[in-house]
Structures are given as C-alpha cells and as structure tokens.
Amino acid sequence: MSDCLFCKIITGDIPANKVYEDADCLAFRDIHPKAPTHVLVIPKKHITSLAHAHTEDAQLLGILLDRVRQIAESEGIAQSGYRVIINSGDDGRQEVPHLHLHLIGGKKLGV
Amino acid sequence: MSDCLFCKIITGDIPANKVYEDADCLAFRDIHPKAPTHVLVIPKKHITSLAHAHTEDAQLLGILLDRVRQIAESEGIAQSGYRVIINSGDDGRQEVPHLHLHLIGGKKLGV
C-alpha cells in the first residue's frame, strides 16, 4: 500500500527505531511511548486491521504474537510483565490502518 | 492444571457463559464486562501466560487470534471496531494465570 505509513517504514522510506526484523515482520519503538517499553510489531504483509485478516493469515498472526513474546524477553520485561494491545477499527481507536500489536511494559500498568 | 480456574471452566467444573468452543480453544463472557462485548478467548492447553508460551505454540496463538476475529464478527463488532488485550504477568495486571485474550467492544473505547 503505497500510501500506508507502516508500509513506508517497512520499505525504509520513513525511518523508525527498529528493534527486530525478519521475513514476516518488523518491530520498532512507538514514537509516543506510553511506558518505558512500547514497541509496535507489524506484519510486512499489508493487513489493514485484525478485522481485515483472513483465516489463511492465522499462521502469520501466530508468528506476530510469538515475536512479541520474544521481544518482551529481549527487552527484559518477560518476567516483570507486559500488555499486548491490538486496536481494530474506530471503536478500538486504531490510529494507523496497518495491523500492529502494541507491546507495553517496563512499569506497573493501569487496570 | 487441577487448581486453575480457567482449566476448570474448560472441564465444565465451573460454569461459564460460553460463546464459542472448538478443539483448541474456548470463549466465554467476562463476568465483569468492561464494555457491551467482553469475551475471553483461551487455549484449552494450559499456558500460564504469553510469556510462558514457546515457539512451538505459535500455531495455537495464531488460531486464538483468528478465533477472536471470528467472534468479533459473530458479536457484530467487526465493523464498528474492538480491542484485543493480552495481559502477561504482574506489570501487565494479569489476573488469572492461564493465557487469555480479552475481546472488548460494542462502544467507543478509551485511548
């Protein structure tokens, strides 16, 4: 998607503070962090939102959650704990229309 | 895990308002809903938290997220939007030590 912010981060047209990358996904720090660790994990394939995924994307979704888990380890928050948030659509307050998983931790989060 | 609340819901020893079930997962309504739709999706396999998952669980994690997406459709909130939350460990405020995905929607959520 040529006009997608996150697709432009994937191609390198827009810079980001990357923390992880492989063939399936990219992870980078949120520019407006809500906690000491706030990383966004996105698929390289453009999927507008979780609601736009298809059952054939299930394997990719699993890879994304597994990478979130691994990045939590490398960020040193696996033991202390963290929150994963996926906002989908308007009611979910999704801000960028490219599926992304927020990994938030490094402090005691609110309920 | 004989002393796990959610394992007891899976076995039927503790009742729950189930909305979906298959070989891999169970979904039921949260007893303290934070929005008109608040469903918990859990794996039938006991995994204490996302941090306790292993890479071989990636396929199962993908199935869980795919089921969340499908349940959002059946709940009628796929278009309006929703939020998926996975709390892991103390900082994440995880309350029950059995991996669960919160599906929350049916109203405009807070940021």
Side-chain angles (χ1 to χ4, degrees), chain A residues 34 49-59 61-70 73 77-93 95 101 105-111, chain B residues 34 49-59 61-70 73 77-93 95 101 105-111:
Chain A
K34 295 188 173 179
S49 73
L50 182 58
H52 288 77
H54 298 283
T55 293
E56 56 263 34
D57 297 312
Q59 183 179 8
L61 296 176
I63 289 170
L64 292 170
L65 267 184
D66 187 59
R67 297 300 180 276
V68 166
R69 181 186 62 77
Q70 292 177 24
E73 288 185 2
I77 59 172
Q79 296 298 318
S80 52
Y82 53 87
R83 182 168 291 156
V84 182
I85 299 175
I86 306 170
N87 296 325
S88 183
D90 285 346
D91 276 1
R93 304 273 192 173
E95 293 183 354
L101 289 71
K107 72 172 185 181
K108 189 90 170 178
L109 299 171
V111 289
Chain B
K34 295 186 173 179
S49 74
L50 182 58
H52 288 78
H54 299 282
T55 294
E56 57 263 34
D57 297 312
Q59 184 178 8
L61 296 176
I63 289 170
L64 292 171
L65 267 184
D66 187 59
R67 296 303 179 273
V68 166
R69 179 187 62 77
Q70 292 178 23
E73 289 185 1
I77 58 172
Q79 296 298 319
S80 51
Y82 53 88
R83 181 168 292 155
V84 182
I85 299 176
I86 306 170
N87 296 324
S88 183
D90 285 347
D91 276 2
R93 304 272 191 172
E95 293 183 353
L101 290 72
K107 71 173 187 182
K108 190 91 171 178
L109 299 171
V111 290

Side-chain angles (χ1 to χ4, degrees), chain A residues 1-11 14 28 31 42 46 96-98:
Chain A
M1 295 270 290
S2 61
D3 59 347
C4 169
L5 173 64
F6 286 174
C7 284
K8 288 180 178 174
I9 287 178
I10 291 166
T11 58
I14 291 179
F28 52 94
I31 56 170
I42 67 173
H46 181 86
V96 177
H98 182 126

